[in-house]
Amino acid sequence: MYKRQAEKDGCQNYTIQNCTLTADSAQDCRLIYSHRNMSVIDFAGTNSNIKILNNSISKGRFGIMLNDGGGLTPYPDENNEIAGNTIFKIGINNNNSGINAADQKNFLIHDNEVKDFKTGPNYADWIRGISIGNCIGPVSIYNNKVHGLSLIHI
């Protein structure tokens, strides 16, 4: 979900539902990824009203990543929801997350399962099931299961 030069035309009002997404685990990839790298000039440029529902997501660096670009604008991404997903076998380097969200407004994460992450002996200790940063309210995170996260240090 990325549009070049989208100051007034963000990705809005769509649903990713009931999909199976599997990557080559040797690659640095984000399986579902929404990001902006520029300031938008009004709400129309945001990536908002996105629903990511009931998907099976495996083998990548990030399962789901929603990031509006680090506060580049007074218009954060709004009304996004991540629900009912199973995210597993994530982890290829030293910065991995099942769900990673930043700079979101009115955001929901619920009823997801994040499991079976492993990093190898050459990597630092950053492995996260669900990671949230700089979100503004209300943000609701509930009824998620996170288990089977492990670092392998030899």
Side-chain angles (χ1 to χ4, degrees), residues 1 3 9-16 34 43-53 77-81:
M1 297 167 273
K3 289 185 175 181
D9 186 20
C11 297
Q12 296 184 354
N13 303 311
Y14 65 88
T15 299
I16 299 172
S34 173
F43 179 78
T46 67
N47 296 332
S48 296
N49 302 310
I50 299 167
K51 308 292 182 213
I52 302 170
L53 309 171
D77 296 343
E78 291 189 36
N79 306 316
N80 294 327
E81 179 178 11

Side-chain angles (χ1 to χ4, degrees), residues 14-40:
Y14 65 88
T15 299
I16 299 172
Q17 186 171 12
N18 300 324
C19 297
T20 298
L21 304 165
T22 302
D24 177 348
S25 61
Q27 300 301 314
D28 181 2
C29 70
R30 294 137 179 95
L31 286 123
I32 296 178
Y33 181 52
S34 173
H35 178 72
R36 287 188 280 127
N37 65 351
M38 65 173 41
S39 249
V40 298

Side-chain angles (χ1 to χ4, degrees), residues 82-104:
I82 299 171
N85 300 286
T86 301
I87 302 165
F88 59 102
K89 294 184 180 175
I90 300 292
I92 64 159
N93 64 16
N94 66 343
N95 184 7
N96 307 282
S97 294
I99 297 171
N100 181 286
D103 303 305
Q104 302 290 306

Side-chain angles (χ1 to χ4, degrees), residues 70-150:
L72 295 172
T73 175
Y75 301 99
D77 296 343
E78 291 189 36
N79 306 316
N80 294 327
E81 179 178 11
I82 299 171
N85 300 286
T86 301
I87 302 165
F88 59 102
K89 294 184 180 175
I90 300 292
I92 64 159
N93 64 16
N94 66 343
N95 184 7
N96 307 282
S97 294
I99 297 171
N100 181 286
D103 303 305
Q104 302 290 306
K105 182 178 178 183
N106 301 324
F107 186 51
L108 295 170
I109 299 177
H110 62 91
D111 300 299
N112 298 286
E113 183 176 20
V114 178
K115 63 182 182 176
D116 302 331
F117 283 34
K118 292 185 171 99
T119 60
N122 298 322
Y123 304 119
D125 57 356
W126 287 100
I127 185 168
R128 297 170 293 253
I130 298 174
S131 177
I132 307 299
N134 299 323
C135 294
I136 54 178
V139 174
S140 296
I141 303 169
Y142 60 90
N143 204 34
N144 297 286
K145 295 178 189 176
V146 178
H147 59 94
L149 307 182
S150 64

Side-chain angles (χ1 to χ4, degrees), residues 2-9 37-38:
Y2 179 80
K3 289 185 175 181
R4 294 180 62 82
Q5 306 302 322
E7 296 167 333
K8 291 183 172 180
D9 186 20
N37 65 351
M38 65 173 41

